[in-house]
Amino acid sequence: MANVAVVGAQWGDEGKGKIVDWLAERADMVVRFQGGHNAGHTLVVGGNVYKLSLLPSGIVRGTPSVVGNGVVLDPWALKAEIERLREQGVSVTPDLLMIAETCALILPFHRDLDGLREDASGAGKIGTTRRGIGPAYEDKVGRRAIRVCDLAHLDQLEPQLDRLTAHHDALRAGFGEPAIDRAALVAELREIAGFVLPYAQPVWRVLADARARGKRILFEGAQGVLLDIDHGTYPFVTSSNTIAGTAAGGSGMGPGAVGFVLGIAKAYTTRVGSGPFPTELEDATGQRLGERGHEFGTVTGRKRRCGWFDSVLVRQAAAVSGITGIALTKLDVLDGFDEIRICTGYQLRGETLDYFPAHAADQMAVEPMYETIPGWSESTAGARSWAELPAQAIKYIRRIEELIQCPVTLVSTSPERDDTILVRDPFAD
């Protein structure tokens, strides 16, 4: 039985939460391996809606869940999310949730800096969630982060605080903000430490033991490949590597542990925030996609930009992330369109491209080349087998497979977890 890594194959918001929840029933453990509480995973279980930002999606099903070392952790956001789930009847105990001792913490001044920078950026705004993710990763790489394990040694925190304040106080002064109140920060950390530390473990050992016993591990990515710090639409990206290869480093397991890579892609394309978007539709069709797909960000509440499926981007995402198969979501949103268009290439200053260029100016300048295919009038909503899909919807899926050079292994036809067509079981490989 293979382990499975789930990654977004577009700009995030592809419906990973539902797919991970669906797969979690078949998994023995679920692992978050990058990002922070800027993820937005919505699960619909038995008519109840659960919105997760930091916790692995398997937590709702009672599947043992791990927050890996590649995640940056806001301890106060963690507490709020656990308490919110408790109000919905989900008890998150240390037996169910394990957090890597080496996770870097997101602290209040990281959130401050995130917002100050964004407000000062003018036309250069990235579209950050203002939750301190980027600044926390900067401190991690700068070797000045406070980590989960430090919460058990707050009396020995002075060297880290010296490094942190030397860096951040200068930045804050540039924005006209006061220096970090070290005593207040330590007091806040002491107050939250008792909540966080019971969940802290050397999770690499837990995962190594699970693998040795043949347990099925599900690695849950956040955001999408097109937001990867190296492979995405830089600088309009997140602050971590979102590709499947990060599952190894961000969990403490070797690359051989990753197994099947399932990429999640909508049957059309959406994006939240700034940045290039070749197939964006700023017309009635784009409005229709947004309304039918309920396209509002789980974390930010921002309206998502909508456009036709871009096979060039998904093919590129599949290549750089080693995607084995695609889970195609929200097929039902396309019901009733007379015609559907698929981007098959780009024109850039008279040149035809079959890939997305690296430079932001070129990314903004490309013009999509479309192939138009007939739509379908029948409903696909709630379909659970190929036999329930209109013939033209199946043709659309097959054409996508040809263009992205990757098979479709799952099809999602509504937010309900069981409204899923399984073509190939990722865990069976």
Side-chain angles (χ1 to χ4, degrees):
M1 303 294 283
N3 295 328
V4 178
V6 174
V7 295
Q10 293 161 318
W11 279 295
D13 304 309
E14 302 96 347
K16 292 184 294 297
K18 171 195 166 168
I19 300 299
V20 170
D21 176 56
W22 191 84
L23 289 168
E25 194 171 53
R26 296 156 176 77
D28 299 304
M29 191 166 287
V30 181
V31 185
R32 270 284 308 273
F33 57 84
Q34 50 76 219
H37 63 306
N38 54 344
H41 295 170
T42 301
L43 315 180
V44 181
V45 182
N48 296 316
V49 178
Y50 302 92
K51 295 189 176 183
L52 305 178
S53 293
L54 177 60
L55 297 175
S57 296
I59 208 88
V60 173
R61 290 276 164 192
T63 306
S65 299
V66 169
V67 175
N69 57 275
V71 173
V72 285
L73 183 90
D74 184 322
W76 298 277
L78 172 73
K79 186 173 186 286
E81 193 164 316
I82 288 175
E83 290 176 345
R84 188 167 64 248
L85 283 179
R86 185 180 298 125
E87 291 172 0
Q88 292 186 274
V90 179
S91 178
V92 181
T93 65
D95 290 331
L96 183 62
L97 176 67
M98 292 150 276
I99 297 173
E101 300 170 308
T102 51
C103 280
L105 297 180
I106 300 172
L107 302 171
F109 54 82
H110 291 134
R111 296 192 295 270
D112 295 342
L113 181 59
D114 213 354
L116 290 166
R117 282 175 170 169
E118 190 76 349
D119 290 339
S121 294
K125 280 188 169 126
I126 301 290
T128 170
T129 57
R130 298 170 178 259
R131 297 194 167 199
I133 313 293
Y137 271 118
E138 290 176 39
D139 280 349
K140 176 180 177 178
V141 174
R143 295 168 294 182
R144 53 183 172 264
I146 294 174
R147 304 188 298 172
V148 169
C149 55
D150 292 317
L151 294 176
H153 301 275
L154 291 176
D155 291 337
Q156 299 169 304
L157 204 59
E158 287 304 311
Q160 285 106 310
L161 289 175
D162 288 343
R163 288 192 293 272
L164 272 171
T165 55
H167 177 77
H168 281 275
D169 285 351
L171 290 174
R172 292 172 67 87
F175 286 108
E177 295 293 315
I180 293 170
D181 186 333
R182 291 169 63 142
L185 174 62
V186 172
E188 287 184 89
L189 291 172
R190 284 193 192 283
E191 185 178 358
I192 198 68
F195 182 87
V196 176
L197 285 172
Y199 297 100
Q201 289 197 41
V203 300
W204 64 269
R205 292 184 62 190
V206 175
L207 292 169
D209 178 64
R211 188 183 183 197
R213 291 186 290 122
K215 299 295 185 180
R216 289 171 292 189
I217 300 170
L218 179 61
F219 299 94
E220 178 182 7
Q223 293 85 46
V225 173
L226 300 177
L227 293 174
D228 185 276
I229 189 69
D230 289 310
H231 300 286
T233 49
Y234 192 90
F236 303 100
V237 292
T238 194
S239 300
S240 60
N241 286 110
T242 60
I243 58 173
T246 311
S251 65
M253 302 187 77
V258 175
F260 192 103
V261 179
L262 183 66
I264 317 297
K266 282 178 182 167
Y268 50 103
T269 311
T270 64
R271 177 165 200 171
V272 171
S274 306
F277 186 169
T279 65
E280 183 174 10
L281 297 170
E282 300 180 89
D283 58 10
T285 300
Q287 181 80 9
R288 181 179 175 185
L289 288 171
E291 290 173 355
R292 294 200 60 186
H294 306 289
E295 296 297 352
F296 295 90
T298 301
V299 170
T300 63
R302 289 179 292 182
K303 183 179 178 182
R304 296 181 186 130
R305 301 152 65 190
C306 298
W308 294 119
F309 187 87
D310 191 328
S311 68
V312 183
L313 288 178
V314 177
R315 182 172 65 243
Q316 192 160 321
V320 300
S321 201
I323 291 173
T324 315
I326 288 286
L328 195 68
T329 65
K330 292 199 169 185
L331 181 67
D332 55 303
V333 173
L334 297 180
D335 292 352
F337 279 92
D338 294 331
E339 293 182 335
I340 298 172
R341 307 180 85 185
I342 305 174
C343 175
T344 59
Y346 305 124
Q347 285 285 322
L348 178 62
R349 304 182 190 96
E351 181 183 359
T352 300
L353 299 180
D354 63 355
Y355 67 96
F356 201 46
H359 196 276
D362 292 338
Q363 292 176 349
M364 295 295 287
V366 297
E367 297 179 7
M369 300 166 60
Y370 286 114
E371 176 181 305
T372 302
I373 67 172
W376 54 90
S377 57
E378 306 96 319
S379 173
T380 65
R384 299 183 181 183
S385 69
W386 283 117
E388 297 177 66
L389 292 180
Q392 197 55 47
I394 295 174
K395 289 180 182 177
Y396 178 68
I397 295 168
R398 294 306 186 202
R399 183 59 180 145
I400 284 176
E401 289 180 315
E402 292 172 356
L403 290 168
I404 66 174
Q405 299 171 7
C406 187
V408 170
T409 59
L410 289 166
V411 180
S412 172
T413 56
S414 93
E416 290 290 341
R417 71 186 302 273
D418 292 327
D419 291 341
T420 304
I421 300 170
L422 175 63
V423 184
R424 176 184 175 190
D425 186 353
F427 280 121
D429 280 60

